[in-house]
Amino acid sequence: MKSDHLYNPYPSQRMTSFSNKGMVATSQPLAAQAGLDILKKGGNAIDAAIATAACLTVVEPTSNGIGGDSFALVWTKGKLHGLNSSGPSPRSISIEAVKEKGHKDIPKYGWVPVTVPGVPGGWAALSERFGTLPLTEVLKPAIEYAEEGYPVSPVLGRFWNAAADRFKSELTDDEFQHWFETFAPNGSVPEIGEVWRSEGHANTLREIAETNAESFYRGSLADQIDAFSKKYDGFLRKEDLAAYKPEWVDPIGVEYRGHKVWEIPPNGQGIIALMALNMLKGYEFSGKEELDTYHKQIEALKLAFTDGLKYVTEERSMTSTANALLSEKYAEERRQLIGEHARQPEPGEPPKGGTVYLATADGDGNMVSFIQSNYMGFGSGLVVPGTGIALQNRGHNFSMDPEHDNRLEGGKRTYHTIIPGFLTKGDEAVGPFGVMGGFMQPQGHVQVVMNTIDFHLNPQAALDAPRWQWMESKKVLVEPNFPNHIAQALARKGHQIQVALDGGPFGRGQIIWRDPKTGVLMGGTESRTDGSVAAW
């Protein structure tokens, strides 16, 4: 039966999902089910997260891949652990070397913005420390989908087609031909409902599973990446891959109305959400759909973002510290700048001192907040020949200003947009949450946290609520269903309001909350994409 699967003229409604043995929430039903299958085979929430993440590299390649980065927050045995699986720039790269190639700024595509992929190393690190099943078992669903194929879902098909149209005009050099061979075979991308497969992707996943990712960093896969880079005069070398290891980190958090909101520390931008919440907790809000609520949210986020864009990079290169940026004193100083009208944001002086998201939980109380990305959809436009490895372009976020904290340097991790979130109350886990989508992510985190804590929305409603996104200066983008009377009132306060055509720019989120008394899990998934909660 022929129909337009992106045409939905009637509003639909989702309800919160409930279960008690296990739950997986993510942007693709096949990936969510893969994670649930691993839980049913005796795996824990960590195994399920790895399985889901690996599956997403196959069933949502428009947003992430084997050649990207990842971050995770893991709750197990009453403690929260953080994993930073973002890779550094190649050691041979520098501002001068990029300029010698004729670039004034770091390009979006090609070898210059490619950084060391952290995804495979992150899977292996999670499995080794907390997993119960071997990677050969956990990656089976992803391998099967890559080998046997799967039908393309609606939102995935839309973004795949848009990327191909863009790449046809922008990626014309020989080094990009392998992207088209992999993702647009025979000159066309798969249509919605059409089956797509990638044997090279399957073989790569199998090799990662059998070697616990060693092949990717110190074996045959590393050799293939190195040869491809050398052929096109890239900076990345197998020595960069061999030197890489994911980093276990202590999560950072702020108290917010009886809860604690947690993020991964810099180089990630999660600290921006925490800075904004630190300012906002100084106010009492009478209701969600109020002018004062939106105005103060936007103003706090603007101030936090300008600080983040100035200071956030790899921690050793920051001229400020996470503790200084999150101090109560600094929050109060920034809060004092929020007035009755929209303000042009400027960074302060603190005291010196394309992405997928998934959430998993099991019946034993283990919970994972996990995010991975190639950045800007398919990333650099480069695919290692015959492997299905789409390389990220995360280096595009570096600054070419030698005085900037996030300046380009060899062997350095850049400001990173992808951030997993986690909520606790007292000594108990409330659960994982996240909203993917570039610079929308900390803005989505603030809105979801406030929807939950301030306005008592259930997890599905907290995700479904209309979103806004600060873009730059006084410009704010709002969703088509954002209340018009509030948009008009915000404009009268000096905000430059623009209404988007659809919900695409506003990120895609997932939530799983756990009742500490009963262990019952409550999940919400994203209505703006092909989202799904798989529960047991």
Side-chain angles (χ1 to χ4, degrees):
M1 184 177 294
K2 187 174 172 123
S3 58
D4 182 349
H5 296 289
L6 291 171
Y7 177 60
N8 297 291
Y10 310 114
S12 61
Q13 185 181 56
R14 291 178 186 265
M15 293 294 176
T16 299
S17 298
F18 288 85
S19 73
N20 61 350
K21 290 188 176 181
M23 184 175 285
V24 180
T26 194
S27 50
Q28 282 293 324
L30 298 178
Q33 189 60 51
L36 191 68
D37 288 345
I38 290 298
L39 287 175
K40 289 185 174 183
K41 288 181 179 179
N44 61 18
I46 295 87
D47 297 314
I50 300 166
T52 306
C55 205
L56 283 166
T57 69
V58 180
V59 302
E60 196 175 332
T62 56
S63 304
N64 77 124
I66 301 171
D69 282 343
S70 65
F71 294 84
L73 289 167
V74 180
W75 178 272
T76 184
K77 296 180 180 177
K79 185 179 178 184
L80 190 64
H81 306 264
L83 181 65
N84 182 332
S85 300
S86 65
S89 58
R91 285 180 288 185
S92 63
I93 203 170
S94 65
I95 292 174
E96 294 73 24
V98 171
K99 286 182 177 178
E100 285 175 7
K101 287 183 176 288
H103 300 292
K104 180 181 174 183
D105 300 306
I106 299 173
K108 288 182 183 178
Y109 306 119
W111 278 103
V112 172
V114 173
T115 52
V116 174
V119 161
W123 297 345
L126 284 167
S127 179
E128 179 181 0
R129 185 168 182 183
F130 295 122
T132 58
L133 298 177
L135 276 183
T136 49
E137 183 69 29
V138 171
L139 265 57
K140 267 185 182 177
I143 293 167
E144 288 175 1
Y145 278 123
E147 210 158 44
E148 299 172 9
Y150 65 92
V152 171
S153 57
V155 176
L156 170 63
R158 172 190 165 199
F159 284 115
W160 203 324
N161 190 66
D165 286 346
R166 186 170 64 253
F167 283 5
K168 282 174 186 175
S169 61
E170 295 185 24
L171 307 186
T172 56
D173 293 342
D174 182 64
E175 63 196 285
F176 300 113
Q177 66 174 320
H178 304 291
W179 184 92
F180 293 96
E181 291 170 0
T182 304
F183 296 111
N186 303 314
S188 63
V189 299
E191 298 293 328
I192 294 169
E194 185 179 342
V195 173
W196 177 81
R197 57 180 57 85
S198 174
E199 186 176 339
H201 201 133
N203 293 335
T204 295
L205 287 169
R206 189 176 287 111
E207 194 161 338
I208 289 170
E210 291 173 350
T211 66
N212 285 319
E214 277 296 302
S215 176
F216 192 93
Y217 296 100
R218 287 164 279 276
S220 64
L221 290 173
D223 290 338
Q224 291 176 71
I225 296 168
D226 179 71
F228 187 35
S229 179
K230 283 178 178 175
K231 181 177 180 180
Y232 293 100
D233 198 25
F235 291 101
L236 187 66
R237 292 291 180 269
K238 61 182 177 182
E239 290 79 12
D240 296 307
L241 296 166
Y244 177 71
K245 285 187 178 179
E247 180 186 6
W248 290 100
V249 298
D250 293 326
I252 56 174
V254 296
E255 299 289 342
Y256 188 79
R257 307 196 198 285
H259 294 73
K260 194 154 188 178
V261 185
W262 297 93
E263 302 276 356
I264 294 284
N267 56 317
Q269 65 174 346
I271 194 171
I272 293 172
L274 299 181
M275 285 190 285
L277 289 169
N278 234 11
M279 287 179 248
L280 290 164
K281 72 184 182 185
Y283 301 109
E284 293 296 328
F285 297 102
S286 60
K288 182 185 182 315
E289 304 304 333
E290 300 286 343
L291 171 62
D292 183 65
T293 298
Y294 284 106
H295 173 67
K296 286 186 168 68
Q297 284 180 330
I298 293 167
E299 291 299 288
L301 207 290
K302 283 159 61 175
L303 291 168
F305 235 121
T306 49
D307 281 339
L309 292 172
K310 178 177 180 179
Y311 296 113
V312 171
T313 185
E314 193 167 50
E315 282 195 281
R316 64 182 171 85
S317 299
M318 288 174 61
T319 56
S320 186
T321 65
N323 285 340
L325 291 165
L326 294 177
S327 71
E328 297 294 336
K329 181 176 182 291
Y330 189 57
E332 177 59 27
E333 288 177 10
R334 299 299 268 166
R335 191 183 300 120
Q336 293 300 319
L337 298 176
I338 299 175
E340 288 300 311
H341 297 279
R343 123 180 226 115
Q344 184 73 27
E346 295 177 358
E349 291 291 337
K352 299 298 180 186
T355 303
V356 292
Y357 174 78
L358 65 97
T360 64
D362 61 31
D364 295 325
N366 300 304
M367 308 180 88
V368 180
S369 182
F370 188 97
I371 197 162
Q372 69 185 17
S373 172
N374 271 359
Y375 197 41
M376 296 183 176
F378 279 100
S380 64
L382 299 170
V383 175
V384 183
T387 68
I389 300 170
L391 295 167
Q392 65 184 351
N393 59 341
R394 187 58 62 176
H396 181 68
N397 273 350
F398 277 118
S399 171
M400 290 285 278
D401 178 357
E403 301 301 317
H404 197 283
D405 282 17
N406 194 42
R407 61 189 171 274
L408 175 63
E409 295 174 286
K412 179 180 179 180
R413 292 180 299 191
T414 185
Y415 175 111
H416 223 293
T417 59
I418 65 174
I419 53 174
F422 204 93
L423 193 64
T424 60
K425 187 172 185 178
D427 295 330
E428 300 282 355
V430 177
F433 71 93
V435 179
M436 57 66 66
F439 295 94
M440 175 65 200
Q441 292 180 57
Q443 308 189 54
H445 281 209
V446 168
Q447 292 171 62
V448 164
V449 167
M450 291 187 68
N451 287 348
T452 300
I453 297 175
D454 291 82
F455 309 123
H456 311 293
L457 294 182
N458 67 59
Q460 189 58 57
L463 291 169
D464 288 343
R467 294 180 193 153
W468 52 266
Q469 180 179 183
W470 174 69
M471 306 301 288
E472 61 181 357
S473 186
K474 297 180 182 181
K475 180 180 172 184
V476 179
L477 191 67
V478 300
E479 288 199 275
N481 59 340
F482 188 89
N484 182 263
H485 68 286
I486 292 178
Q488 291 186 38
L490 287 169
R492 291 193 293 272
K493 282 186 172 288
H495 299 280
Q496 297 167 1
I497 303 296
Q498 294 186 4
V499 181
L501 284 176
D502 57 44
F506 299 92
R508 304 194 284 276
Q510 314 292 333
I511 294 173
I512 299 176
W513 300 145
R514 183 177 186 271
D515 186 318
K517 294 180 181 178
T518 65
V520 168
L521 304 168
M522 298 158 273
T525 190
E526 185 58 73
S527 57
R528 297 166 183 82
T529 189
D530 306 310
S532 178
V533 175
W536 179 37

